[in-house]
Amino acid sequence: RHITVFSPEGRLYQIEYALKATRAPGLTSVAIRGATCSVVATQKKVQDKLMDPDSVTHVFKVTNLIGCVMTGLIGDCKSVVQRMRQ
């Protein structure tokens, strides 16, 4: 069951929150596919000084042949990757 909440202007809050979450980190990711290879580049920004910089990544291995790069909130990214692995 889903709850739909509208703003006073008639827009959906869930859509606005989702768009804001993808724009908030300000990360850029680029992928290029060649005939025999592919290259993925993304920015790495550590949001908090208490976070271990080695634990922050936006490039994930889904299977031995499939990988993905995601931008947005890192918790949401990890959740989506876990669903893809199942």
Side-chain angles (χ1 to χ4, degrees), residues 8-62:
E9 294 84 24
R11 296 183 301 233
L12 290 172
Y13 277 128
Q14 292 90 340
I15 301 299
E16 291 184 17
Y17 292 151
L19 291 173
K20 186 177 179 182
T22 58
R23 292 183 189 128
L27 295 175
T28 303
S29 298
V30 178
I32 300 171
R33 185 182 69 151
T36 60
C37 63
S38 62
V39 177
V40 176
T42 187
Q43 291 175 306
K44 182 176 183 176
K45 291 184 182 177
V46 180
Q47 300 293 332
D48 190 355
K49 292 180 182 179
L50 298 175
M51 292 178 68
D52 180 18
D54 294 332
S55 68
V56 177
T57 183
H58 292 279
V59 180
F60 299 95
K61 179 180 176 182
V62 179

